Amino acid sequence: MTRASLDKQPHEVASMFDGIAEKYDLTNDVISLGQARMWRKEVAKAVGARPGHTVLDLAAGTATSSLPFAATGAYVVPCDFSLGMLMEGKKKHSWLPLTAGDATKLPFKDDAFDTVTISFGLRNVQDTDAALRELYRVTKPGGQVIICEFSQPTWAPFRTVYMEYLMRALPPVARTVVSDPDPYVYLAESIREWPDQPALAALLQKAGWSKVAWRNLSGGIVALHRGTKG
């Protein structure tokens, strides 16, 4: 299995990420033209982790995204359903409690975390509504969700150029790092099909989150959504 289909069968998506785990972080830097690191910094600011806080980092992959939270003294649990990603993460960050889990059936008790966050992973979950409800379930009352995900550029001319880049340029760029660019064809297609900023905000509200808001990064290529568990 080299890529997943857009119906996002969990075994297909997990298998696809298993296959690209070794060079995933490097490829992200290349295809985002270096923006991925800036996006991670913005997520860290929004999460606002601090000593004594518990953070669930869902779709953590190799756990690179979890490091800024751990550096603050917070207790962070990196969670992903790709065993290949988790094994690669364990090689690099063996001290972190990497955990296998499906976003629609999380292996955590109710009200377990002060903050739950997912970066560039919600788009790959088969049932977005179920995942948002699960995130709500495992968050403490008064806690927050932070979602960083690809979205829709707000300036129409740029949006057109961006979509052309995704479909035509992204796979060849990915090929400079990995031998098989097929997973990145899927990623481009999934970005194009993903709800825009207001639509994702509506899904958060539907799942029970309050005080829902978002902030655009890189002209709307990425959006940072947040919500609070009332």
PDB file of all heavy atoms in Angstrom, residues 74-107:
ATOM      1  N   ALA A  74       5.421  20.391  30.817  1.00  0.00           N
ATOM      2  CA  ALA A  74       4.108  19.749  30.786  1.00  0.00           C
ATOM      3  C   ALA A  74       4.280  18.255  30.540  1.00  0.00           C
ATOM      4  O   ALA A  74       5.297  17.806  30.003  1.00  0.00           O
ATOM      5  CB  ALA A  74       3.251  20.365  29.690  1.00  0.00           C
ATOM      6  N   TYR A  75       3.262  17.478  30.927  1.00  0.00           N
ATOM      7  CA  TYR A  75       3.249  16.051  30.634  1.00  0.00           C
ATOM      8  C   TYR A  75       2.510  15.862  29.315  1.00  0.00           C
ATOM      9  O   TYR A  75       1.305  16.120  29.229  1.00  0.00           O
ATOM     10  CB  TYR A  75       2.556  15.266  31.740  1.00  0.00           C
ATOM     11  CG  TYR A  75       2.505  13.773  31.471  1.00  0.00           C
ATOM     12  CD1 TYR A  75       3.658  12.995  31.606  1.00  0.00           C
ATOM     13  CD2 TYR A  75       1.326  13.156  31.062  1.00  0.00           C
ATOM     14  CE1 TYR A  75       3.632  11.626  31.353  1.00  0.00           C
ATOM     15  CE2 TYR A  75       1.290  11.787  30.803  1.00  0.00           C
ATOM     16  CZ  TYR A  75       2.451  11.034  30.954  1.00  0.00           C
ATOM     17  OH  TYR A  75       2.427   9.687  30.686  1.00  0.00           O
ATOM     18  N   VAL A  76       3.228  15.450  28.276  1.00  0.00           N
ATOM     19  CA  VAL A  76       2.641  15.323  26.941  1.00  0.00           C
ATOM     20  C   VAL A  76       2.601  13.861  26.520  1.00  0.00           C
ATOM     21  O   VAL A  76       3.569  13.114  26.715  1.00  0.00           O
ATOM     22  CB  VAL A  76       3.402  16.177  25.904  1.00  0.00           C
ATOM     23  CG1 VAL A  76       4.886  15.828  25.866  1.00  0.00           C
ATOM     24  CG2 VAL A  76       2.779  16.027  24.511  1.00  0.00           C
ATOM     25  N   VAL A  77       1.468  13.460  25.950  1.00  0.00           N
ATOM     26  CA  VAL A  77       1.300  12.110  25.426  1.00  0.00           C
ATOM     27  C   VAL A  77       1.188  12.188  23.908  1.00  0.00           C
ATOM     28  O   VAL A  77       0.172  12.645  23.378  1.00  0.00           O
ATOM     29  CB  VAL A  77       0.042  11.430  26.002  1.00  0.00           C
ATOM     30  CG1 VAL A  77      -0.134  10.034  25.388  1.00  0.00           C
ATOM     31  CG2 VAL A  77       0.122  11.344  27.515  1.00  0.00           C
ATOM     32  N   PRO A  78       2.234  11.783  23.175  1.00  0.00           N
ATOM     33  CA  PRO A  78       2.130  11.711  21.719  1.00  0.00           C
ATOM     34  C   PRO A  78       1.337  10.457  21.331  1.00  0.00           C
ATOM     35  O   PRO A  78       1.646   9.366  21.793  1.00  0.00           O
ATOM     36  CB  PRO A  78       3.594  11.598  21.254  1.00  0.00           C
ATOM     37  CG  PRO A  78       4.440  11.802  22.479  1.00  0.00           C
ATOM     38  CD  PRO A  78       3.581  11.410  23.633  1.00  0.00           C
ATOM     39  N   CYS A  79       0.333  10.640  20.487  1.00  0.00           N
ATOM     40  CA  CYS A  79      -0.535   9.519  20.116  1.00  0.00           C
ATOM     41  C   CYS A  79      -0.706   9.486  18.605  1.00  0.00           C
ATOM     42  O   CYS A  79      -0.908  10.536  17.977  1.00  0.00           O
ATOM     43  CB  CYS A  79      -1.891   9.675  20.810  1.00  0.00           C
ATOM     44  SG  CYS A  79      -3.076   8.347  20.503  1.00  0.00           S
ATOM     45  N   ASP A  80      -0.645   8.296  18.018  1.00  0.00           N
ATOM     46  CA  ASP A  80      -0.808   8.162  16.570  1.00  0.00           C
ATOM     47  C   ASP A  80      -1.278   6.739  16.269  1.00  0.00           C
ATOM     48  O   ASP A  80      -1.089   5.835  17.086  1.00  0.00           O
ATOM     49  CB  ASP A  80       0.522   8.427  15.851  1.00  0.00           C
ATOM     50  CG  ASP A  80       0.320   8.842  14.397  1.00  0.00           C
ATOM     51  OD1 ASP A  80       0.019   7.958  13.566  1.00  0.00           O
ATOM     52  OD2 ASP A  80       0.461  10.044  14.093  1.00  0.00           O
ATOM     53  N   PHE A  81      -1.904   6.547  15.101  1.00  0.00           N
ATOM     54  CA  PHE A  81      -2.334   5.189  14.753  1.00  0.00           C
ATOM     55  C   PHE A  81      -1.399   4.512  13.764  1.00  0.00           C
ATOM     56  O   PHE A  81      -1.622   3.370  13.386  1.00  0.00           O
ATOM     57  CB  PHE A  81      -3.785   5.165  14.258  1.00  0.00           C
ATOM     58  CG  PHE A  81      -4.044   5.760  12.895  1.00  0.00           C
ATOM     59  CD1 PHE A  81      -5.254   5.515  12.251  1.00  0.00           C
ATOM     60  CD2 PHE A  81      -3.125   6.558  12.264  1.00  0.00           C
ATOM     61  CE1 PHE A  81      -5.521   6.045  11.000  1.00  0.00           C
ATOM     62  CE2 PHE A  81      -3.372   7.090  11.010  1.00  0.00           C
ATOM     63  CZ  PHE A  81      -4.572   6.840  10.379  1.00  0.00           C
ATOM     64  N   SER A  82      -0.324   5.200  13.372  1.00  0.00           N
ATOM     65  CA  SER A  82       0.688   4.596  12.521  1.00  0.00           C
ATOM     66  C   SER A  82       1.809   4.035  13.382  1.00  0.00           C
ATOM     67  O   SER A  82       2.575   4.784  13.998  1.00  0.00           O
ATOM     68  CB  SER A  82       1.261   5.633  11.539  1.00  0.00           C
ATOM     69  OG  SER A  82       2.465   5.154  10.962  1.00  0.00           O
ATOM     70  N   LEU A  83       1.892   2.705  13.442  1.00  0.00           N
ATOM     71  CA  LEU A  83       2.946   2.091  14.250  1.00  0.00           C
ATOM     72  C   LEU A  83       4.326   2.404  13.689  1.00  0.00           C
ATOM     73  O   LEU A  83       5.297   2.528  14.437  1.00  0.00           O
ATOM     74  CB  LEU A  83       2.723   0.580  14.318  1.00  0.00           C
ATOM     75  CG  LEU A  83       1.451   0.130  15.040  1.00  0.00           C
ATOM     76  CD1 LEU A  83       1.357  -1.399  15.046  1.00  0.00           C
ATOM     77  CD2 LEU A  83       1.404   0.663  16.459  1.00  0.00           C
ATOM     78  N   GLY A  84       4.415   2.549  12.356  1.00  0.00           N
ATOM     79  CA  GLY A  84       5.695   2.911  11.751  1.00  0.00           C
ATOM     80  C   GLY A  84       6.171   4.271  12.225  1.00  0.00           C
ATOM     81  O   GLY A  84       7.359   4.455  12.534  1.00  0.00           O
ATOM     82  N   MET A  85       5.272   5.231  12.293  1.00  0.00           N
ATOM     83  CA  MET A  85       5.616   6.564  12.797  1.00  0.00           C
ATOM     84  C   MET A  85       6.039   6.489  14.263  1.00  0.00           C
ATOM     85  O   MET A  85       7.031   7.103  14.670  1.00  0.00           O
ATOM     86  CB  MET A  85       4.413   7.504  12.656  1.00  0.00           C
ATOM     87  CG  MET A  85       4.141   7.935  11.238  1.00  0.00           C
ATOM     88  SD  MET A  85       5.318   9.203  10.712  1.00  0.00           S
ATOM     89  CE  MET A  85       4.438   9.846   9.290  1.00  0.00           C
ATOM     90  N   LEU A  86       5.281   5.758  15.067  1.00  0.00           N
ATOM     91  CA  LEU A  86       5.594   5.655  16.492  1.00  0.00           C
ATOM     92  C   LEU A  86       6.948   4.992  16.722  1.00  0.00           C
ATOM     93  O   LEU A  86       7.716   5.416  17.594  1.00  0.00           O
ATOM     94  CB  LEU A  86       4.492   4.871  17.209  1.00  0.00           C
ATOM     95  CG  LEU A  86       3.128   5.573  17.291  1.00  0.00           C
ATOM     96  CD1 LEU A  86       2.067   4.612  17.813  1.00  0.00           C
ATOM     97  CD2 LEU A  86       3.200   6.811  18.181  1.00  0.00           C
ATOM     98  N   MET A  87       7.251   3.964  15.943  1.00  0.00           N
ATOM     99  CA  MET A  87       8.545   3.291  16.102  1.00  0.00           C
ATOM    100  C   MET A  87       9.691   4.219  15.717  1.00  0.00           C
ATOM    101  O   MET A  87      10.745   4.232  16.362  1.00  0.00           O
ATOM    102  CB  MET A  87       8.573   2.002  15.272  1.00  0.00           C
ATOM    103  CG  MET A  87       7.723   0.899  15.859  1.00  0.00           C
ATOM    104  SD  MET A  87       7.929  -0.713  15.045  1.00  0.00           S
ATOM    105  CE  MET A  87       7.092  -0.427  13.492  1.00  0.00           C
ATOM    106  N   GLU A  88       9.480   5.008  14.655  1.00  0.00           N
ATOM    107  CA  GLU A  88      10.506   5.980  14.266  1.00  0.00           C
ATOM    108  C   GLU A  88      10.668   7.032  15.358  1.00  0.00           C
ATOM    109  O   GLU A  88      11.782   7.444  15.691  1.00  0.00           O
ATOM    110  CB  GLU A  88      10.100   6.642  12.947  1.00  0.00           C
ATOM    111  CG  GLU A  88      11.202   7.423  12.262  1.00  0.00           C
ATOM    112  CD  GLU A  88      12.376   6.568  11.812  1.00  0.00           C
ATOM    113  OE1 GLU A  88      12.180   5.370  11.515  1.00  0.00           O
ATOM    114  OE2 GLU A  88      13.498   7.115  11.775  1.00  0.00           O
ATOM    115  N   GLY A  89       9.545   7.466  15.939  1.00  0.00           N
ATOM    116  CA  GLY A  89       9.605   8.438  17.029  1.00  0.00           C
ATOM    117  C   GLY A  89      10.300   7.891  18.257  1.00  0.00           C
ATOM    118  O   GLY A  89      11.020   8.609  18.951  1.00  0.00           O
ATOM    119  N   LYS A  90      10.085   6.592  18.535  1.00  0.00           N
ATOM    120  CA  LYS A  90      10.709   5.976  19.711  1.00  0.00           C
ATOM    121  C   LYS A  90      12.225   5.941  19.581  1.00  0.00           C
ATOM    122  O   LYS A  90      12.950   6.054  20.579  1.00  0.00           O
ATOM    123  CB  LYS A  90      10.155   4.558  19.897  1.00  0.00           C
ATOM    124  CG  LYS A  90      10.276   4.032  21.319  1.00  0.00           C
ATOM    125  CD  LYS A  90       9.409   4.831  22.268  1.00  0.00           C
ATOM    126  CE  LYS A  90       9.484   4.298  23.686  1.00  0.00           C
ATOM    127  NZ  LYS A  90       8.740   5.148  24.645  1.00  0.00           N
ATOM    128  N   LYS A  91      12.714   5.798  18.347  1.00  0.00           N
ATOM    129  CA  LYS A  91      14.163   5.823  18.129  1.00  0.00           C
ATOM    130  C   LYS A  91      14.751   7.183  18.499  1.00  0.00           C
ATOM    131  O   LYS A  91      15.851   7.285  19.018  1.00  0.00           O
ATOM    132  CB  LYS A  91      14.479   5.553  16.651  1.00  0.00           C
ATOM    133  CG  LYS A  91      14.150   4.168  16.148  1.00  0.00           C
ATOM    134  CD  LYS A  91      14.489   4.091  14.657  1.00  0.00           C
ATOM    135  CE  LYS A  91      13.937   2.866  13.991  1.00  0.00           C
ATOM    136  NZ  LYS A  91      14.166   2.899  12.520  1.00  0.00           N
ATOM    137  N   LYS A  92      14.008   8.242  18.193  1.00  0.00           N
ATOM    138  CA  LYS A  92      14.513   9.603  18.382  1.00  0.00           C
ATOM    139  C   LYS A  92      14.192  10.174  19.761  1.00  0.00           C
ATOM    140  O   LYS A  92      14.977  10.948  20.313  1.00  0.00           O
ATOM    141  CB  LYS A  92      13.908  10.531  17.318  1.00  0.00           C
ATOM    142  CG  LYS A  92      14.201  10.127  15.884  1.00  0.00           C
ATOM    143  CD  LYS A  92      13.453  11.036  14.905  1.00  0.00           C
ATOM    144  CE  LYS A  92      13.694  10.653  13.460  1.00  0.00           C
ATOM    145  NZ  LYS A  92      12.916  11.481  12.521  1.00  0.00           N
ATOM    146  N   HIS A  93      13.030   9.809  20.305  1.00  0.00           N
ATOM    147  CA  HIS A  93      12.547  10.435  21.545  1.00  0.00           C
ATOM    148  C   HIS A  93      12.052   9.350  22.494  1.00  0.00           C
ATOM    149  O   HIS A  93      10.874   9.309  22.845  1.00  0.00           O
ATOM    150  CB  HIS A  93      11.421  11.427  21.240  1.00  0.00           C
ATOM    151  CG  HIS A  93      11.659  12.274  20.027  1.00  0.00           C
ATOM    152  ND1 HIS A  93      12.733  13.144  19.925  1.00  0.00           N
ATOM    153  CD2 HIS A  93      10.983  12.379  18.853  1.00  0.00           C
ATOM    154  CE1 HIS A  93      12.691  13.751  18.745  1.00  0.00           C
ATOM    155  NE2 HIS A  93      11.639  13.302  18.091  1.00  0.00           N
ATOM    156  N   SER A  94      12.954   8.501  22.930  1.00  0.00           N
ATOM    157  CA  SER A  94      12.561   7.306  23.679  1.00  0.00           C
ATOM    158  C   SER A  94      11.957   7.632  25.044  1.00  0.00           C
ATOM    159  O   SER A  94      11.276   6.794  25.641  1.00  0.00           O
ATOM    160  CB  SER A  94      13.780   6.392  23.866  1.00  0.00           C
ATOM    161  OG  SER A  94      14.815   7.084  24.551  1.00  0.00           O
ATOM    162  N   TRP A  95      12.189   8.846  25.558  1.00  0.00           N
ATOM    163  CA  TRP A  95      11.686   9.199  26.880  1.00  0.00           C
ATOM    164  C   TRP A  95      10.204   9.598  26.859  1.00  0.00           C
ATOM    165  O   TRP A  95       9.565   9.671  27.912  1.00  0.00           O
ATOM    166  CB  TRP A  95      12.503  10.352  27.468  1.00  0.00           C
ATOM    167  CG  TRP A  95      12.326  11.652  26.726  1.00  0.00           C
ATOM    168  CD1 TRP A  95      11.443  12.657  27.010  1.00  0.00           C
ATOM    169  CD2 TRP A  95      13.044  12.081  25.575  1.00  0.00           C
ATOM    170  NE1 TRP A  95      11.563  13.684  26.116  1.00  0.00           N
ATOM    171  CE2 TRP A  95      12.537  13.358  25.219  1.00  0.00           C
ATOM    172  CE3 TRP A  95      14.065  11.518  24.801  1.00  0.00           C
ATOM    173  CZ2 TRP A  95      13.022  14.068  24.115  1.00  0.00           C
ATOM    174  CZ3 TRP A  95      14.541  12.231  23.710  1.00  0.00           C
ATOM    175  CH2 TRP A  95      14.029  13.485  23.381  1.00  0.00           C
ATOM    176  N   LEU A  96       9.654   9.836  25.692  1.00  0.00           N
ATOM    177  CA  LEU A  96       8.257  10.254  25.599  1.00  0.00           C
ATOM    178  C   LEU A  96       7.323   9.039  25.613  1.00  0.00           C
ATOM    179  O   LEU A  96       7.658   7.994  25.048  1.00  0.00           O
ATOM    180  CB  LEU A  96       8.031  11.058  24.314  1.00  0.00           C
ATOM    181  CG  LEU A  96       8.645  12.458  24.274  1.00  0.00           C
ATOM    182  CD1 LEU A  96       8.506  13.069  22.878  1.00  0.00           C
ATOM    183  CD2 LEU A  96       7.982  13.371  25.308  1.00  0.00           C
ATOM    184  N   PRO A  97       6.134   9.175  26.213  1.00  0.00           N
ATOM    185  CA  PRO A  97       5.193   8.036  26.294  1.00  0.00           C
ATOM    186  C   PRO A  97       4.358   7.891  25.023  1.00  0.00           C
ATOM    187  O   PRO A  97       3.138   8.089  25.021  1.00  0.00           O
ATOM    188  CB  PRO A  97       4.318   8.415  27.501  1.00  0.00           C
ATOM    189  CG  PRO A  97       4.283   9.904  27.484  1.00  0.00           C
ATOM    190  CD  PRO A  97       5.657  10.332  26.999  1.00  0.00           C
ATOM    191  N   LEU A  98       5.031   7.547  23.914  1.00  0.00           N
ATOM    192  CA  LEU A  98       4.327   7.393  22.645  1.00  0.00           C
ATOM    193  C   LEU A  98       3.266   6.299  22.763  1.00  0.00           C
ATOM    194  O   LEU A  98       3.539   5.210  23.279  1.00  0.00           O
ATOM    195  CB  LEU A  98       5.305   7.056  21.522  1.00  0.00           C
ATOM    196  CG  LEU A  98       6.214   8.225  21.085  1.00  0.00           C
ATOM    197  CD1 LEU A  98       7.545   8.157  21.799  1.00  0.00           C
ATOM    198  CD2 LEU A  98       6.424   8.204  19.586  1.00  0.00           C
ATOM    199  N   THR A  99       2.068   6.597  22.279  1.00  0.00           N
ATOM    200  CA  THR A  99       0.909   5.720  22.480  1.00  0.00           C
ATOM    201  C   THR A  99       0.181   5.489  21.162  1.00  0.00           C
ATOM    202  O   THR A  99      -0.072   6.436  20.410  1.00  0.00           O
ATOM    203  CB  THR A  99      -0.065   6.369  23.493  1.00  0.00           C
ATOM    204  OG1 THR A  99       0.634   6.632  24.715  1.00  0.00           O
ATOM    205  CG2 THR A  99      -1.251   5.464  23.763  1.00  0.00           C
ATOM    206  N   ALA A 100      -0.157   4.240  20.885  1.00  0.00           N
ATOM    207  CA  ALA A 100      -0.939   3.919  19.697  1.00  0.00           C
ATOM    208  C   ALA A 100      -2.415   4.162  19.995  1.00  0.00           C
ATOM    209  O   ALA A 100      -2.919   3.753  21.040  1.00  0.00           O
ATOM    210  CB  ALA A 100      -0.718   2.466  19.290  1.00  0.00           C
ATOM    211  N   GLY A 101      -3.090   4.865  19.085  1.00  0.00           N
ATOM    212  CA  GLY A 101      -4.503   5.131  19.308  1.00  0.00           C
ATOM    213  C   GLY A 101      -5.178   5.687  18.070  1.00  0.00           C
ATOM    214  O   GLY A 101      -4.545   6.370  17.262  1.00  0.00           O
ATOM    215  N   ASP A 102      -6.460   5.396  17.938  1.00  0.00           N
ATOM    216  CA  ASP A 102      -7.301   5.875  16.835  1.00  0.00           C
ATOM    217  C   ASP A 102      -8.064   7.101  17.322  1.00  0.00           C
ATOM    218  O   ASP A 102      -8.666   7.079  18.401  1.00  0.00           O
ATOM    219  CB  ASP A 102      -8.266   4.756  16.441  1.00  0.00           C
ATOM    220  CG  ASP A 102      -9.106   5.095  15.218  1.00  0.00           C
ATOM    221  OD1 ASP A 102      -9.493   6.274  15.055  1.00  0.00           O
ATOM    222  OD2 ASP A 102      -9.404   4.187  14.426  1.00  0.00           O
ATOM    223  N   ALA A 103      -8.073   8.168  16.528  1.00  0.00           N
ATOM    224  CA  ALA A 103      -8.723   9.414  16.924  1.00  0.00           C
ATOM    225  C   ALA A 103     -10.207   9.257  17.204  1.00  0.00           C
ATOM    226  O   ALA A 103     -10.790  10.034  17.960  1.00  0.00           O
ATOM    227  CB  ALA A 103      -8.533  10.471  15.833  1.00  0.00           C
ATOM    228  N   THR A 104     -10.834   8.240  16.617  1.00  0.00           N
ATOM    229  CA  THR A 104     -12.275   8.056  16.825  1.00  0.00           C
ATOM    230  C   THR A 104     -12.584   7.153  18.021  1.00  0.00           C
ATOM    231  O   THR A 104     -13.745   7.028  18.412  1.00  0.00           O
ATOM    232  CB  THR A 104     -12.938   7.464  15.561  1.00  0.00           C
ATOM    233  OG1 THR A 104     -12.402   6.164  15.303  1.00  0.00           O
ATOM    234  CG2 THR A 104     -12.702   8.360  14.357  1.00  0.00           C
ATOM    235  N   LYS A 105     -11.536   6.529  18.596  1.00  0.00           N
ATOM    236  CA  LYS A 105     -11.710   5.660  19.770  1.00  0.00           C
ATOM    237  C   LYS A 105     -10.461   5.778  20.637  1.00  0.00           C
ATOM    238  O   LYS A 105      -9.654   4.858  20.716  1.00  0.00           O
ATOM    239  CB  LYS A 105     -11.910   4.200  19.343  1.00  0.00           C
ATOM    240  CG  LYS A 105     -13.144   3.954  18.486  1.00  0.00           C
ATOM    241  CD  LYS A 105     -13.188   2.507  18.014  1.00  0.00           C
ATOM    242  CE  LYS A 105     -14.350   2.263  17.075  1.00  0.00           C
ATOM    243  NZ  LYS A 105     -14.361   0.880  16.537  1.00  0.00           N
ATOM    244  N   LEU A 106     -10.310   6.895  21.292  1.00  0.00           N
ATOM    245  CA  LEU A 106      -9.082   7.165  22.028  1.00  0.00           C
ATOM    246  C   LEU A 106      -8.961   6.299  23.282  1.00  0.00           C
ATOM    247  O   LEU A 106      -9.949   6.104  23.992  1.00  0.00           O
ATOM    248  CB  LEU A 106      -9.026   8.654  22.415  1.00  0.00           C
ATOM    249  CG  LEU A 106      -8.853   9.630  21.251  1.00  0.00           C
ATOM    250  CD1 LEU A 106      -9.028  11.068  21.728  1.00  0.00           C
ATOM    251  CD2 LEU A 106      -7.487   9.450  20.591  1.00  0.00           C
ATOM    252  N   PRO A 107      -7.755   5.810  23.572  1.00  0.00           N
ATOM    253  CA  PRO A 107      -7.547   4.917  24.719  1.00  0.00           C
ATOM    254  C   PRO A 107      -7.283   5.684  26.010  1.00  0.00           C
ATOM    255  O   PRO A 107      -6.363   5.342  26.764  1.00  0.00           O
ATOM    256  CB  PRO A 107      -6.316   4.110  24.286  1.00  0.00           C
ATOM    257  CG  PRO A 107      -5.511   5.088  23.487  1.00  0.00           C
ATOM    258  CD  PRO A 107      -6.527   5.929  22.745  1.00  0.00           C
TER     259      PRO A 107
END
